[in-house]
């Protein structure tokens, strides 16, 4: 062997492969092994980060017997990335990808959701708008329409809000089209008690942000009801509809109605604590053949994501 040739550390090579290919428990086990830390030391480091996780749970995680799902567990995974000197989001990404169902193309990948989140922040900054808009949601009923080509035709929203500061006179509505959507062809409709203001579009992510203007300035404590919608129909087959919430709120109801020529074979509800978290809360939903629709109702929403997914033939 020529002088100066160096052998790659097998543990490091195994870790790099595991982080690239997964699954999560293999990558976690490889990272702990590469750092030479017993689980008791890993637990100690986590406690110094303000996260409490038992040694038994850590053992289950690296064996693949259980997967982190609760918010505290996901905090632990992010802390583990720092403790084990791993790239940011490397373990979280594996958790997210592991939740995709075999044989089913995800409507939103983790990468696309993160890109959309960044674009949304830029568009909101361009509108010089605070993220919460000074409004608290009391009730939100959303009606999604899927067309005969299995495409997202459009959606209508009825919103009831309460102002938590004086002077609020607008709401920013966000539409994230399915992959392949053409934002310039998406139409914003102000249906009741509002009118359309500025509209910003981003081709790369299919994002549309519309300013809906009220006819009055609300005072703190005032309630307001308005309706708006988006007409789309520009993308390919739709497989799910997702709604994200940044904080706790009131009731949320989602109804998805399908064209009679394109009915799914099954539908289910799901939830996520964040875009990076694994999906949970799966519940099969019965499709009404007469009305060609499914729905869910959340009496009080929490921070995170909730949605309905469906499978075509």
């Amino acid at each position: 062997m020529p002088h100066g040739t160096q052998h790659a550390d097998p543990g490091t090579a195994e870790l790099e492969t595991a982080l690239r290919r997964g699954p999560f428990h293999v990558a976690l086990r490889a990272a702990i092994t590469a750092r030479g830390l017993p689980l008791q030391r890993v637990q100690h480091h986590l406690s110094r980060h303000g996260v409490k996780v038992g040694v038994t749970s850590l053992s289950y995680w690296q064996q693949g017997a259980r997967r982190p799902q609760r918010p505290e567990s996901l905090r632990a995974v992010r802390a583990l990335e720092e403790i084990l000197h791993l790239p940011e989001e490397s373990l979280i990404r594996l958790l997210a990808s592991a939740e995709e169902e075999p044989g089913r193309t995800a409507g939103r990948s983790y990468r696309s959701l993160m890109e959309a989140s960044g674009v949304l922040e830029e568009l909101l900054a361009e509108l010089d708008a605070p993220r919460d808009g000074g409004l608290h949601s009391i009730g939100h009923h959303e009606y999604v329409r899927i067309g005969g080509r299995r495409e997202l035709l459009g959606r209508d929203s009825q919103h009831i809000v309460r102002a938590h500061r004086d002077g609020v006179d607008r709401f920013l509505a966000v539409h994230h089209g399915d992959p392949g959507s053409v934002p310039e062809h998406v139409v914003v409709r102000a249906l009741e008690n509002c009118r359309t203001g500025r509209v910003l579009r981003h081709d790369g992510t299919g994002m549309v942000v519309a300013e809906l203007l009220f006819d009055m300035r609300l005072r703190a404590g005032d309630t307001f009801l308005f309706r708006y919608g988006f007409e789309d129909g520009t993308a390919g087959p739709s497989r799910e509809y997702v709604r994200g919430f940044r904080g706790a709120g009131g009731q949320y109801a989602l109804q998805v109605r399908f064209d009679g020529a394109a009915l799914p074979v099954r539908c289910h509800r799901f939830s996520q604590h964040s875009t990076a978290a694994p999906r949970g809360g799966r519940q099969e939903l019965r499709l009404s053949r007469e009305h060609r629709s499914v729905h869910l109702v959340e009496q009080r929403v929490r921070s995170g994501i909730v949605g309905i997914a469906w499978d075509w033939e």
Side-chain angles (χ1 to χ4, degrees), residues 211-273:
E211 188 179 49
L212 299 171
L213 306 175
F214 305 155
D215 62 353
M216 65 179 70
R217 290 184 177 273
L218 304 180
R219 296 167 296 188
D222 284 350
T223 57
F224 197 73
L225 184 151
F226 58 103
R227 287 196 308 123
Y228 61 92
F230 291 90
E231 297 298 323
D232 195 333
T234 63
S238 181
R239 294 179 174 87
E240 62 184 24
Y241 187 80
V242 179
R243 168 61 59 183
F245 302 93
R246 291 182 69 93
Q251 184 189 79
Y252 173 69
L254 169 62
Q255 175 179 289
V256 181
R257 185 183 299 275
F258 300 90
D259 187 282
L263 296 177
V265 294
R266 67 185 63 86
C267 307
H268 70 267
R269 170 206 183 277
F270 65 87
S271 60
Q272 290 174 267
H273 295 299

Side-chain angles (χ1 to χ4, degrees), residues 19-277:
L19 289 175
R20 186 170 61 253
R21 300 179 181 176
F24 168 79
H25 70 277
V26 172
L28 176 61
R29 185 169 63 241
I32 293 174
T33 301
R35 304 299 173 231
L37 291 174
L39 293 184
Q40 288 82 1
R41 291 296 301 165
V42 175
Q43 181 193 37
H44 175 70
H45 284 298
L46 284 171
S47 65
R48 293 180 62 183
H49 279 72
V51 182
K52 293 184 179 180
V53 176
V55 172
T56 301
S57 293
L58 291 171
S59 178
Y60 283 156
W61 290 357
Q62 69 170 0
Q63 293 172 29
R66 292 181 186 171
R67 295 174 61 247
Q69 291 186 327
R70 296 183 298 108
E72 182 74 2
S73 299
L74 296 176
R75 282 186 57 214
V77 173
R78 294 188 184 279
L80 284 169
E81 292 173 347
E82 181 177 342
I83 293 166
L84 300 173
H85 309 297
L86 301 176
E88 188 176 354
E89 302 284 336
S90 56
L91 292 179
I92 285 290
R93 178 183 58 81
L94 291 176
L95 270 179
S97 62
E99 194 65 19
E100 294 183 1
E101 301 170 27
R104 179 176 182 273
T105 303
R108 293 284 193 280
S109 69
Y110 170 68
R111 181 186 296 273
S112 72
L113 285 170
M114 292 305 293
E115 289 176 352
S117 178
V119 167
L120 177 58
E121 295 298 333
E122 293 176 6
L123 295 179
L124 291 175
E126 188 173 339
L127 290 172
D128 193 26
R131 192 61 179 86
D132 71 345
L135 298 170
H136 176 78
S137 179
I138 299 175
H140 185 186
H141 292 185
E142 201 158 25
Y143 307 88
V144 174
R145 290 170 282 115
I146 306 298
R149 295 185 295 105
R150 303 180 176 180
E151 79 280 19
L152 173 63
L153 277 179
R155 63 182 182 87
D156 294 342
S157 287
Q158 177 171 284
H159 232 121
I160 306 171
V161 295
R162 174 179 286 113
H164 59 74
R165 59 179 171 79
D166 292 337
V168 179
D169 62 353
R170 67 198 60 206
F171 175 83
L172 296 180
V174 178
H175 177 71
H176 187 189
D178 282 314
S181 68
V182 184
E184 65 178 294
H185 293 158
V186 173
V187 177
V188 183
R189 298 187 303 142
L191 299 173
E192 188 173 6
N193 297 333
C194 61
R195 56 187 173 84
T196 305
R198 294 170 291 176
V199 178
L200 301 182
R201 309 170 194 269
H202 187 268
D203 291 334
T205 58
M207 186 78 69
V208 179
V209 178
E211 188 179 49
L212 299 171
L213 306 175
F214 305 155
D215 62 353
M216 65 179 70
R217 290 184 177 273
L218 304 180
R219 296 167 296 188
D222 284 350
T223 57
F224 197 73
L225 184 151
F226 58 103
R227 287 196 308 123
Y228 61 92
F230 291 90
E231 297 298 323
D232 195 333
T234 63
S238 181
R239 294 179 174 87
E240 62 184 24
Y241 187 80
V242 179
R243 168 61 59 183
F245 302 93
R246 291 182 69 93
Q251 184 189 79
Y252 173 69
L254 169 62
Q255 175 179 289
V256 181
R257 185 183 299 275
F258 300 90
D259 187 282
L263 296 177
V265 294
R266 67 185 63 86
C267 307
H268 70 267
R269 170 206 183 277
F270 65 87
S271 60
Q272 290 174 267
H273 295 299
S274 70
T275 54

